[in-house]
Amino acid sequence: MSALLSLLVLLGALGRPGQTMSQEEKSKLRNQVVEMFDHAYQNYMDHAYPADELMPLTCRGRVRGLEPSRGDVDDALGKFSLTLIDTLDTLVLLNKTTEFEAAVRRVLTDVRLDNDIVVSVFETNIRVLGGLLGGHSMAVMLKEGGQNMQWYQDELLHMAKDLGLRLLPAFNTSSGLPYPRVNLKYGVRGPETRTGTETDTCTACAGTIILEFAALSRFTGDPVFEAHARRALDFLWEKRQRNSNLVGTTINIHSGEWVRRDSGVGAGIDSYYEYLLKAYVLLGDDQFLQRFNIHYASIMKYISQPPLLLDVHIHKPLLPARTWMDSLLAFFPGLQVLKGDIRPAIETHEMLYQVTKKHNFLPEAFTTDFRVHWAQHPLRPEFAESTYFLYKATGDPYYLEAGRTIMDNLNRFARVPCGFAAMKDVRTGSHEDRMDSFFLAEMFKYLFLLFADAEDLPFDVEDYVFTTEAHLLPLSLSTAPHSSSIPSNKTSEEELDDSNFDWTCPNTRLLFPDPAFPRNLREPIRSAVDKSCPRPAPYREPGMGRPPLRAQDFMANNPEHLELLRRMGVSLIHLKDGRVQLVQHATQAVSAVAAEDGVRFMQEMMELSSQQQKEQLPPRAIQIVSHPFFGRVVLTAGPAQFGTDLSKSSTGVRGFVTVAEPYSGCSEITNAEYVQGHIALLQRGQCMFAEKARNIQKAGAIGGIVIDDNEGSSSDTAPLFQMAGDGRNTEDISLPILFLFHKEGNILLEALKEYREVEVLLSDKARDRAAIFKGKPLPGSLIESSVPVPEAEEEQFTEATTPTSFEPISQSQMSTLEMDEVATEEVTPSQEEVIAVDEDTSPAEEVTSPEERVSPQENQEANVAQPMKERDSEEGEEPEGDTDSSSQSVDELLADWREDLEAFQQMEKDEL
């Protein structure tokens, strides 16, 4: 995760946290939900039906072709009375059985599905097919109750099958992934269809089919629908990035190549993960749970930075893909509840709640410091969905208050005479003339369920699973007959083994023995969002302007410095990736003057980081030239901003390696007799890089290699690491020093362990072996058969990417410090500031303290130069016989580097 620099102030206490809500109050709010639904539904029926959607500002229906085109948004409209179909099962849940029966009769009488119109396969599936199936489920349930719908003979199911057959032509691709659009009358082939030429679709678009199609197959007994949905899911699973186990956002439906390689849990991917878990719940197929668990582990490892959920690159999952989040990820805490992972669900939901309180609604996208990125809000229900599931899991009345907030904001800001209008800009309160069908399908379901008791519901919701559009499908479908010979691309069970995962849902009553536990999780997040009320700067005595600690002098392991930070209201938070984050709470400073000192310290840290990041250097190479490698193994190394500049050396520095004692290199070297004339191996940590370099230089070393102490780190998954000085003059350091991640460092250590004497060449790029062994026979076949080494071509390192241009990002949109772009906003002492600094522990830092700097060349919203990546110049052949662990590691590295090269070349073309 990129380091965050946010300017924050404390938010006042939330209303009624932890206080029990009376039954009378819950009943009042429940009735209010029904009244709000009636206002929206009746206005649709009065002013819009049979049009697809209501235009609440002009009190008329939206008919596709008669209104100005809104682009892809209109692909949800198919002249099939979308809002009515999408609302069918909501009517039943809200105990409106009479209205439901009338609505079903209208659908059967008025709705046609054979219109010559191009629609979104994804939207039509989840809204119309899902709506018909949900309506059918409710009709069957009511008929079995003996009082309503006695005339019903599966008419909605017949319509659903008709629609399913009209969607099937979209799946006629070599991969099984559906075309994103289909003509309801003509399919996807031929000029009359006006579609079928697309090549790309989003992951969610292809991966959010299984619930509706499997339900249709099991309701009707026709396995063809479930077969196609499974085939699409199998293909997506096969195309996941195998190292990160993440999927991209957009994929080519013919080749299976990832078109957009950013990965998150929001727009473009969201419901793919949701449907893997819910397909297991609905269908009982263990394979879906296995796949979900594998994906989920990677999400929590790379994307989740509680309370944030930040997109990353699938090939470089430690490399952030953007500095903002979209509102669709608000569903994820609810999915985590279903998974049974409650703690991060509470944390992310609280962040979303605070953003909601700040802007009245969740903006379509907001930055990591919680500012508006995209200001629209189309009345999305995902936050209400997660609020309901968290209340169901915890019983904490806090979530009832969150629901009340949602309702109050809808009535205050979105309610208009003819319904509820989407927000065009949450900052100004301006409206947009739209009320999407999902508002009636989802929002009022979740709000009603939030305030309802079991006796208020016409059926047991535990017998159903909610689709992504909140349509109700009965769990009894898991036992319904279905074909056992469905063709698919199933991965072997061996590969999918995830025996480390729990296969049972936790008892939520045991998760919270202390009723205050959820509140304790929310407290640290509550103050981390709102910064809209800066206070005037306090009066300062003349001569009191200089802070007691300068950023260039700060050392994260110095107790005196930490105490000075504490007095300024600056504290350290240890992140799970090994970094520490500097957070300034001005209100926690010992005085107003100390608070302003803290603000200035944070500003200095920003400026210092900015200066360091401007001095970016390309990667270096460490080439193992001794037996049995003979120059074939080249390790990508991070450069240093001090010491010998290897780019100015035609020969590099060549020597045998030896491990320094102490291994940290943070004190006088005790084995100087062995280090002298050698290249010293050092472990990262405990002191500044410059100090390590001075100590080995004093011992007579000719070079140094610092190996990362963060186990598992690798150049495969982390941005280029660049070592910087200590903020002081480093001209006294005259030897070269390079940095290796843990994975590459282990190759060198294993070689030293195996062969005792290992000679390496430190250079700016890999050297041709003919140049390395100039004047000597070129080693080739003279390698002992017991230690086979891959043969390779002789070629130079090549850069995998070139910097891309970028456009400025306004300060109003971003105040996070990442790489080349630094927000340098005016800071007042009443604000909080957050800045992540390096504690000499993690290879993935973007903002570090002065003792060591990182200048990763990271993509920032496709605006910042892509990472520079070099690969081994020699591609090995498959070795015969057994190989030692070092050789195997080298083979893996070569394969990974080739894959990364292709990935980054494609990433330059991505539109993130």
Side-chain angles (χ1 to χ4, degrees), residues 256-523:
E257 294 295 319
W258 291 110
V259 179
R260 282 184 52 188
R261 298 166 188 259
D262 48 319
S263 183
V265 296
I269 301 179
D270 50 359
S271 48
Y272 163 69
Y273 294 131
E274 178 185 4
Y275 269 38
L276 282 179
L277 182 55
K278 289 184 176 179
Y280 167 70
V281 174
L282 180 66
L283 307 177
D285 188 335
D286 291 348
Q287 187 182 63
F288 293 124
L289 180 60
Q290 290 174 318
R291 292 179 180 180
F292 173 80
N293 280 336
I294 291 170
H295 280 315
Y296 185 77
S298 292
I299 291 169
M300 299 309 291
K301 181 178 181 180
Y302 300 118
I303 295 171
S304 175
Q305 296 287 342
L308 308 180
L309 292 163
L310 295 177
D311 285 18
V312 300
H313 295 288
I314 58 174
H315 287 81
K316 292 286 184 180
L318 296 178
L319 187 67
R322 59 177 60 152
T323 59
W324 47 270
M325 296 166 278
D326 65 73
S327 63
L328 285 171
L329 61 75
F331 90 100
F332 197 67
L335 189 64
Q336 289 179 306
V337 170
L338 189 61
K339 158 72 177 171
D341 198 1
I342 309 294
R343 180 184 183 118
I346 291 173
E347 293 172 333
T348 297
H349 180 276
E350 180 63 17
M351 178 269 293
L352 296 169
Y353 187 26
Q354 295 304 319
V355 174
T356 297
K357 290 168 74 73
K358 177 179 173 62
H359 300 295
N360 299 321
F361 300 98
L362 274 181
E364 273 293 78
F366 52 93
T367 62
T368 51
D369 62 337
F370 316 113
R371 298 182 177 193
V372 172
H373 186 69
W374 295 335
Q376 308 94 323
H377 174 75
L379 307 182
R380 293 203 184 276
E382 286 78 13
F383 179 65
E385 174 186 357
S386 289
T387 301
Y388 161 65
F389 283 115
L390 270 169
Y391 177 67
K392 191 167 185 178
T394 65
D396 189 343
Y398 179 85
Y399 297 108
L400 297 177
E401 295 300 333
R404 186 204 299 268
T405 299
I406 296 171
M407 293 170 57
D408 289 347
N409 288 341
L410 284 172
N411 281 321
R412 289 176 58 198
F413 304 109
R415 187 164 182 150
V416 294
C418 287
F420 291 85
M423 306 304 296
K424 186 175 183 179
D425 192 319
V426 298
R427 296 165 297 191
T428 64
S430 57
H431 289 120
E432 190 175 353
D433 199 6
R434 64 184 284 195
M435 187 180 80
D436 290 83
S437 67
F438 54 68
F439 182 61
L440 287 163
E442 300 183 67
M443 180 69 81
F444 295 112
K445 271 198 190 85
Y446 291 124
L447 288 176
F448 185 80
L449 286 169
L450 179 63
F451 297 109
D453 295 319
E455 57 270 21
D456 302 315
L457 303 175
F459 56 89
D460 187 355
V461 293
E462 298 293 341
D463 294 335
Y464 296 83
V465 65
F466 291 98
T467 69
T468 194
E469 191 77 4
H471 292 306
L472 295 154
L473 300 177
L475 293 176
S476 58
L477 289 174
S478 63
T479 59
H482 63 285
S483 172
S484 59
S485 58
I486 296 174
S488 66
N489 301 316
K490 280 191 177 182
T491 309
S492 67
E493 294 300 320
E494 246 181 83
E495 182 183 345
L496 292 175
D497 176 42
D498 64 343
S499 55
N500 292 327
F501 293 104
D502 290 333
W503 286 75
T504 57
C505 295
N507 185 339
T508 54
R509 287 177 296 178
L510 303 179
L511 290 175
F512 306 109
D514 178 7
F517 178 69
R519 184 167 67 251
N520 293 337
L521 293 179
R522 293 189 294 261
E523 290 292 342

Side-chain angles (χ1 to χ4, degrees), residues 554-700:
F554 172 66
M555 295 175 58
N557 57 356
N558 187 318
E560 294 181 5
H561 290 182
L562 297 180
E563 174 60 21
L564 289 173
L565 292 186
R566 185 194 67 78
R567 295 181 62 81
M568 294 188 292
V570 180
S571 57
L572 269 71
I573 298 175
H574 292 266
L575 303 178
K576 67 181 182 181
D577 61 4
R579 291 174 297 151
V580 294
Q581 193 175 57
L582 283 179
V583 184
Q584 200 230 355
H585 302 265
T587 55
Q588 296 179 7
V590 297
S591 67
V593 172
E596 187 165 332
D597 287 341
V599 171
R600 294 194 180 189
F601 171 81
M602 299 295 280
Q603 289 176 326
E604 284 187 357
M605 185 67 75
M606 292 166 59
E607 294 167 1
L608 193 58
S609 298
S610 176
Q611 294 170 6
Q612 295 282 352
Q613 291 164 7
K614 292 176 182 177
E615 302 173 12
Q616 295 180 1
L617 299 172
R620 305 301 189 207
I622 298 177
Q623 199 164 0
I624 307 180
V625 298
S626 55
H627 167 82
F629 305 99
F630 299 118
R632 291 188 176 90
V633 175
V634 184
L635 307 175
T636 300
Q641 293 179 351
F642 54 87
T644 300
D645 185 354
L646 292 171
S647 66
K648 297 178 180 179
S649 171
S650 59
T651 59
V653 174
R654 180 171 174 174
F656 288 91
V657 298
T658 188
V659 177
E661 296 178 7
Y663 190 22
S664 68
C666 291
S667 59
E668 185 176 349
I669 304 302
T670 58
N671 63 336
E673 66 275 17
Y674 297 105
V675 169
Q676 186 173 11
H678 287 67
I679 296 173
L681 300 183
L682 306 156
Q683 186 179 47
R684 182 184 184 189
Q686 301 183 32
C687 66
M688 298 172 286
F689 289 124
E691 184 176 348
K692 298 176 189 288
R694 289 187 179 99
N695 286 332
I696 61 171
Q697 179 173 286
K698 183 179 179 181

Side-chain angles (χ1 to χ4, degrees), residues 785-790 877-884 891:
S785 59
S786 61
V787 191
V789 176
E877 300 171 359
E878 186 68 22
E880 299 177 0
D882 296 331
T883 61
D884 64 4
D891 290 341

Side-chain angles (χ1 to χ4, degrees), residues 615-623 633-649 652-653 704-705 715 720-723 736-741 744 761-767 797-799 857 868-873 897:
E615 302 173 12
Q616 295 180 1
L617 299 172
R620 305 301 189 207
I622 298 177
Q623 199 164 0
V633 175
V634 184
L635 307 175
T636 300
Q641 293 179 351
F642 54 87
T644 300
D645 185 354
L646 292 171
S647 66
K648 297 178 180 179
S649 171
V653 174
I705 299 173
S715 62
L720 176 68
F721 187 88
Q722 181 168 299
M723 297 179 290
I737 185 166
L738 299 179
F739 178 88
L740 286 179
F741 286 110
E744 289 80 1
L761 174 66
L762 311 183
S763 58
D764 62 331
K765 60 184 178 181
R767 304 293 178 178
F797 263 2
T798 58
E799 291 184 354
Q857 298 154 14
M868 303 289 287
K869 179 72 179 178
E870 297 188 352
R871 61 171 180 171
D872 196 334
S873 61
W897 279 330

